């Protein structure tokens, strides 16, 4: 009851401004929450794109180029020893293309994983890739010189480096998948937070709207209806009913003025 009496002493202008400020504050709060969630989602998407596209794809390019390069090495050696099987120069150019593709893919991978938390695995892949490139360069030299026996020995070393690189690549794919799953789980949790936030926002908005409707009814509609009834009694010549006191706001001042007018 004391709360209602206090409300009667607050001007309608102040109540309207307070309601507008409260609604604006709620809107700004939810806008800030939505903006923060959008920004974090963009960062998660960028991290996911870095893991799935840049890191994994560059490593995949490196692995495929190394396997294709080793295969082309054997073809180049055969054509170098037996030109009737095909153009040996073209075969060597194909090998050089794969070596260049490996170097570019390795550079892309190292750049994409510059800030990776898996630095030990990154360094192991870098080391194995350089060893494999060195072995394949030696294979290329053996082919151009026609050293078949030397080529076979170097090929064994290259195959060992290739298997080691493939093993490290599989380990990296596993941790990259785990990182991707973790990011997706965080995104799902954030989506749940958004749903809860929206539900909470709707509940607060409905409560605020209900409060404003009730306040408008209590502070404006109900007093005006009472005034209308009182005016009708006055119009019928009944001046016996006193005008009740009703606070110090605009409605209260109207009641007070009506009381003065009735008693004058």
């Amino acid at each position: 009851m004391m709360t209602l009496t206090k409300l009667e002493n607050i001007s309608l202008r102040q109540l309207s401004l307070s309601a507008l400020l409260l609604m604006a504050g709620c809107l700004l709060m939810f806008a800030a929450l939505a903006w923060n969630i959008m920004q974090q989602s963009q960062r998660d998407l960028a991290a996911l794109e870095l893991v799935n596209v840049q890191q994994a794809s560059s490593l995949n390019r490196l692995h495929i180029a190394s396997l294709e390069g080793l295969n082309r090495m054997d073809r180049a050696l055969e054509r170098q020893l037996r030109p009737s099987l095909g153009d040996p120069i073209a075969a060597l150019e194909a090998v050089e293309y794969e070596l260049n593709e490996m170097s570019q893919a390795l550079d892309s991978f190292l750049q994409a994983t510059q800030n990776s938390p898996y630095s030990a695995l990154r360094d192991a892949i870098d080391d194995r890739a350089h060893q494999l490139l060195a072995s394949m360069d030696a294979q290329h030299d053996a082919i151009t010189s026609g050293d078949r026996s030397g080529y076979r020995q170097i090929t064994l070393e290259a195959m060992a480096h290739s298997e080691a690189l493939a093993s490290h690549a599989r380990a990296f794919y596993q941790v990259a998948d785990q990182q991707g799953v973790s990011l997706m789980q965080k995104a799902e949790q954030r989506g749940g937070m958004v749903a809860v936030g929206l539900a909470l926002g709707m509940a607060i908005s409905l409560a605020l709207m209900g409060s404003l409707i009730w306040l408008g009814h209590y502070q404006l509609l109900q007093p005006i209806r009472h005034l209308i009834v009182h005016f009708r009694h006055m119009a019928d010549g009944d001046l016996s009913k006193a005008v009740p006191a009703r606070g110090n706001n605009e409605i209260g001042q109207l009641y007070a003025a009506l009381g003065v007018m009735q008693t004058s």
Side-chain angles (χ1 to χ4, degrees), residues 38-260:
M38 288 176 60
Q39 292 297 312
Q40 186 61 44
S41 298
Q42 289 179 355
R43 288 191 289 268
D44 288 344
L45 286 174
L48 190 61
E49 190 269 342
L50 180 65
V51 171
N52 290 337
V53 178
Q54 298 183 25
Q55 296 180 2
S57 65
S58 58
L59 182 58
N60 190 48
R61 281 175 53 206
L62 173 62
H63 188 204
I64 291 175
S66 65
L67 295 177
E68 188 65 23
L70 290 172
N71 185 43
R72 291 182 183 275
M73 287 287 185
D74 291 335
R75 296 181 185 177
L77 178 62
E78 292 175 356
R79 294 182 182 182
Q80 188 74 13
L81 297 176
R82 300 173 62 185
S84 60
L85 296 176
D87 186 2
I89 297 177
L92 286 174
E93 289 177 350
V95 169
E96 292 168 358
Y97 172 82
E98 296 299 338
L99 291 174
N100 184 58
E101 181 71 11
M102 287 179 62
S103 297
Q104 291 180 359
L106 179 59
D107 290 341
S108 298
F109 173 77
L110 294 177
Q111 184 177 1
T113 55
Q114 197 169 16
N115 299 318
S116 173
Y118 314 109
S119 57
L121 188 55
R122 173 183 182 270
D123 294 341
I125 291 174
D126 182 23
D127 182 58
R128 288 299 184 182
H130 277 99
Q131 291 177 356
L132 178 57
L133 279 168
S135 295
M136 293 178 73
D137 284 334
Q139 280 182 295
H140 181 273
D141 294 339
I143 292 172
T144 55
S145 63
D147 185 4
R148 187 168 186 175
S149 60
Y151 172 82
R152 295 302 180 191
Q153 181 62 36
I154 298 170
T155 298
L156 294 176
E157 297 176 2
M159 292 299 295
H161 294 318
S162 177
E163 291 175 0
L165 176 61
S167 176
H168 290 306
R170 285 192 294 271
F172 186 86
Y173 291 143
Q174 290 178 355
V175 297
D177 287 342
Q178 293 173 359
Q179 187 177 0
V181 170
S182 176
L183 289 172
M184 291 299 295
Q185 290 176 346
K186 289 181 180 179
E188 291 177 357
Q189 293 175 355
R190 196 167 293 110
M193 291 175 58
V194 171
V196 172
L198 288 176
L200 181 61
M202 291 181 64
I204 293 175
S205 300
L206 290 174
L208 182 59
M209 289 178 62
S211 300
L212 292 176
I213 292 172
W214 173 85
L215 188 61
H217 174 77
Y218 176 79
Q219 285 286 83
L220 191 61
L221 295 179
Q222 183 177 331
I224 289 177
R225 287 173 182 171
H226 290 168
L227 282 176
I228 292 173
V229 172
H230 197 83
F231 274 120
R232 286 175 179 171
H233 287 297
M234 291 177 64
D236 293 337
D238 183 8
L239 301 178
S240 61
K241 292 186 178 181
V243 179
R246 189 180 176 87
N248 299 321
N249 61 9
E250 291 84 346
I251 298 296
Q253 294 171 14
L254 182 60
Y255 270 63
L258 177 61
V260 172

Side-chain angles (χ1 to χ4, degrees), residues 2 43 263:
M2 292 181 62
R43 288 191 289 268
T263 56

